[in-house]
Amino acid sequence: PRVPTGVVVPHAAAAVLERRAPLTVVRAPSGSGKSAVVARWVHDGAVAGSVVWLSAHDGDPLPQLADAVSVSGGGRAALVRELTERGEVTVVVDDLHEADPGVDDELLDLVARAPRLHLVVLTRERRPIEVRGLVVADAAVVGAPILEEVVFRGLIYGNFKKVMTTWFALLAQAGLFGL
């Protein structure tokens, strides 16, 4: 996806993403910058191995994943085999809140069966994958406060900097962030 200018990945978010837990859930309200932060993290080269970006807005993510890694036929076993043979793979599923909740169990099954898979899901709502993922896989959840920091410190500062000097932009952003 396109990476908006001025987006900065906060250190706390980067630390969670770079842990490369088998499952990372990024949950925050609409417009909070979930996709922008993860896209920046991917774009900056912080991801080892290959990256596949899917959107649940476009339908069930599992067939999309099979298409993305060129698996035709063979079902889930073939998909797991292909993901395992590829080495380190990060799969980002954007807009998971738009998918049927049954997809969560299927994604967790992939995480459990493909040891070098790092699944990052972006959602606006609490999903079954969060609760079940804590049991099935080493999971990390990035919440709204980190993403709010991105909006204030990254996007707002970037826009302030366009119309004022760096020092005034920093002071204005800090004042607004402190409210």
Side-chain angles (χ1 to χ4, degrees):
R2 186 180 64 79
V3 179
T5 57
V7 173
V8 177
V9 180
H11 294 293
V16 170
L17 289 166
E18 289 169 7
R19 272 187 51 216
R20 293 196 50 82
L23 171 64
T24 302
V25 178
V26 180
R27 178 179 31 88
S30 175
S32 59
K34 299 176 295 294
S35 301
V37 167
V38 175
R40 168 59 61 195
W41 176 68
V42 168
H43 183 267
D44 287 348
V47 180
S50 58
V51 177
V52 178
W53 191 288
L54 310 170
S55 174
H57 180 73
D58 298 330
D60 186 342
L62 290 172
Q64 293 179 56
L65 180 56
D67 288 345
V69 297
S70 303
V71 173
S72 57
R76 186 162 309 142
L79 181 56
V80 168
R81 187 172 43 256
E82 180 63 29
L83 288 172
T84 302
E85 290 173 1
R86 282 179 178 251
E88 296 291 325
V89 179
T90 298
V91 175
V92 179
V93 179
D94 203 352
D95 298 320
L96 187 64
H97 56 274
E98 295 187 20
D100 183 280
V103 168
D104 294 34
D105 287 333
E106 295 177 22
L107 290 170
L108 282 172
D109 182 59
L110 277 181
V111 169
R113 294 174 59 195
R116 298 176 74 190
L117 171 65
H118 174 60
L119 178 65
V120 179
V121 296
L122 313 178
T123 182
R124 296 179 190 165
E125 304 166 356
R126 184 175 300 274
R127 296 282 301 200
I129 199 166
E130 287 183 54
V131 177
R132 295 179 193 137
L134 292 172
V135 175
V136 173
D138 177 19
V141 178
V142 179
I146 291 172
L147 295 171
E148 287 174 14
E149 182 180 335
V150 171
V151 171
F152 283 105
R153 295 193 188 266
L155 297 176
I156 290 176
Y157 168 72
N159 287 324
F160 280 167
K161 196 171 169 188
K162 290 177 187 175
V163 296
M164 56 184 76
T165 67
T166 300
W167 281 106
F168 282 120
L170 284 169
L171 289 172
Q173 172 263 322
L176 188 58
F177 189 67
L179 291 177

